[in-house]
Structures are given as structure tokens and as C-alpha cells.
Amino acid sequence: MRENEKWNQKVDADDFTEDEKQIFDQMGLNGSSRRKFLKQVSVASLSLWASSYMTSDMFASTMKDLPENPMVLLNQIKVNLRVNEMVKPLNIDSRTSLLDALRERLALTGTKKGCDHGQCGACTVIIDGKRKLSCLTLAATCEDKEITTVEGLAKGGEMHDMQKAFLKHDGFQCGYCTPGQICSSVALLEEAKNGEISYVTEDITDVKSDLKLSEEEIRERMSGNICRCGAYNNIVQAFKEVHSGDDEMPTWEFATQEQMDKAKNA
């Protein structure tokens, strides 16, 4: 601390530049208030420096000095997660996302962590029949809810029809987004069955159950799942086969040379 006081005294001596003095004046930091501000800054800097040495091993070695039940300091709660028809009791931090609970605590690594901001869809799972982004879902909110991950889609060693269709139509390349794509597709089958509308539904006043989704509808409803490899056409075809038995090839075609030239000169 003596070294710290010397540093404060040295800095507080009038060896600021004119610009620095002007900034302090604009902040209203004069005299004692300036010394107080500098002291706080120096203490904060020291804290940041010291934090790099606070390893988990050091923290563990000091646990004996904490209260009898130190886990109260970690926001620990108990939650029963029903995942793939099995109940998994967990003691977790109340801020733990469902994604981290699945991957880090239950070793269900099929669910992928992509952007971790709810923008890519790689972490999509099915909760009570609805597709959800597990990276934005707190595990604590899923008590007693039915959670299905990509590992839980197969039954009795038999793949889900959607999984088979993805294989048949090459609905993936690198495969990173595939678990989320498949979970989203399976949940979408139920959305169509229940007659749920979307942004491109033509007439929302006359919505019926057991909808047969057009290719435009499929693409719109699956738009929250990003495939950086660009396997969208094959994904659409895989869904169409399971959804309506449509085994025809997609309606898209390769661009002609004329179209490419026109786009190039546009």
C-alpha cells in the first residue's frame, strides 16, 4: 500500500498535461476530489491485476475459510430436468442456460453451441412440443417440462423419419447445424398439424389443421436455423418428404449464364 500511496502522490503532483488538466476540470475533479478519483482508479487497477492470479485452484484452496455451506455463494438451486423421457436431477447455478446444462452437466453434446445469442438456431431443442433456443432458455425454467434433444428422437434403435430423410437428401454438409435443423423440422411437423400460422400464411382468417406447407412456407418457418454450408434446398426436400410424401426434386434451378452475366453487370 505504501507503494500505492507514493504513486498517488506522484500522480497528484502537478505533472499532468494541459489536456489532462482540462479533462479533469470538465469532470469536476479538483483538489481532494481529484485525489479521491485517482485513488479509486489505482485501487481498481490493482484489483484487475490481482484477478488474473485468482485461479480456480487458489479459490479451491481457500474454501476451508468460507461458511459451512459455501455453495450458497454460487446461486445454487436444484432442478429436475425431464430430458428424452428421463428425469435428471441437477444442482446448478440459477443462471445456467439449458444449453450449458445439457452439454456440460448431462453430456448431451448433440445440441450445439453456435452464436450463443439466439441467432443461428444450432442449439434448437423441443420443449413441450415447441422448438426453443436452449442458449436463451434458463435451465431453471424447465422444471418438469418435457425436453427432447436430437439424441432423443430415435426410438428403439430406429431413427426418426426426419433423420432418415436428412440422410437420404444430404440435408447437411459440415453437420454442425444439423441437430438444430432436425429438431426444428420435427417441431414444425406438429405446427403444421396444429394449423399454426406464419409470416407468409396467405389467409389467417381461414386457418385449418393438418396444413400442407408450400416450399415458401417451409423456407420461412425454417429461416431461424442457419446453415453456413448452404444445404437449404436439401433440407427443404427432406422436410417435404416427411411432411407430405413429396419426393420430387426441389423447384430451384442453377442460374443460366445469361442470368449470371446480368447479375455481374448490374
Side-chain angles (χ1 to χ4, degrees):
M1 184 59 71
R2 290 180 180 176
E3 291 297 324
N4 196 38
E5 291 174 354
K6 290 179 181 178
W7 183 86
N8 283 334
Q9 293 171 359
K10 181 181 179 181
V11 174
D12 194 42
D14 290 329
D15 67 344
F16 295 109
T17 66
E18 290 302 319
D19 289 339
E20 289 170 338
K21 289 180 181 179
Q22 185 177 355
I23 291 173
F24 279 121
D25 289 339
Q26 290 174 349
M27 294 173 65
L29 298 171
N30 299 300
S32 61
S33 61
R34 181 181 297 179
R35 284 191 292 273
K36 183 178 179 181
F37 172 75
L38 290 171
K39 185 176 181 180
Q40 291 173 336
V41 170
S42 61
V43 171
S45 300
L46 182 62
S47 300
L48 289 174
W49 170 80
S51 66
S52 63
Y53 291 90
M54 291 298 290
T55 62
S56 56
D57 291 338
M58 180 180 291
F59 179 76
S61 68
T62 60
M63 288 291 279
K64 62 181 182 295
D65 299 324
L66 295 175
E68 291 184 5
N69 182 19
M71 297 307 290
V72 297
L73 302 178
L74 302 179
N75 300 301
Q76 179 181 255
I77 61 170
K78 184 175 181 180
V79 61
N80 294 312
L81 294 182
R82 184 173 175 80
V83 184
N84 299 332
E85 301 181 351
M86 296 182 65
V87 177
K88 305 286 187 178
L90 292 175
N91 290 318
I92 58 174
D93 188 294
S94 61
R95 299 160 293 185
T96 303
S97 69
L98 177 59
L99 174 60
D100 286 338
L102 292 173
R103 291 182 57 83
E104 307 299 334
R105 300 298 303 278
L106 299 180
L108 294 172
T109 55
T111 304
K112 303 303 182 188
K113 178 176 285 194
C115 66
D116 209 22
H117 286 77
Q119 297 177 347
C120 72
C123 68
T124 303
V125 297
I126 303 172
I127 302 178
D128 287 344
K130 303 291 185 180
R131 43 185 171 162
K132 299 290 184 180
L133 298 170
S134 59
C135 75
L136 298 184
T137 304
L138 289 175
T141 66
C142 298
E143 179 86 35
D144 298 327
K145 294 183 179 180
E146 186 65 49
I147 303 167
T148 303
T149 70
V150 69
E151 292 93 340
L153 294 177
K155 303 296 182 184
E158 184 75 12
M159 287 191 298
H160 190 282
D161 288 343
M162 192 64 71
Q163 292 173 306
K164 294 178 182 178
F166 266 68
L167 285 172
K168 177 181 177 180
H169 293 280
D170 284 336
F172 53 88
Q173 289 185 41
C174 79
Y176 197 85
C177 73
T178 306
Q181 298 275 7
I182 292 177
C183 284
S184 190
S185 297
V186 171
L188 179 53
L189 291 173
E190 288 301 309
E191 290 178 21
K193 183 178 179 181
N194 296 334
E196 296 181 26
I197 65 172
S198 77
Y199 179 74
V200 294
T201 299
E202 293 185 2
D203 186 359
I204 62 174
T205 63
D206 184 27
V207 179
K208 302 176 181 178
S209 59
D210 295 320
L211 298 175
K212 183 174 180 180
L213 302 180
S214 65
E215 187 167 317
E216 181 186 17
E217 279 271 17
I218 297 168
R219 290 181 183 276
E220 166 60 28
R221 291 173 185 258
M222 289 293 293
S223 61
N225 291 81
I226 307 300
C227 174
R228 298 186 185 279
C229 299
Y232 297 114
N233 294 309
N234 301 38
I235 291 171
V236 170
Q237 191 55 36
F239 180 86
K240 286 173 66 176
E241 178 172 325
V242 179
H243 171 56
S244 58
D246 184 357
D247 197 26
E248 295 181 5
M249 294 304 294
T251 57
W252 64 273
E253 297 178 351
F254 288 108
T256 64
Q257 187 62 47
E258 181 182 356
Q259 290 172 323
M260 289 190 289
D261 292 340
K262 184 177 179 180
K264 186 176 181 180
N265 297 324

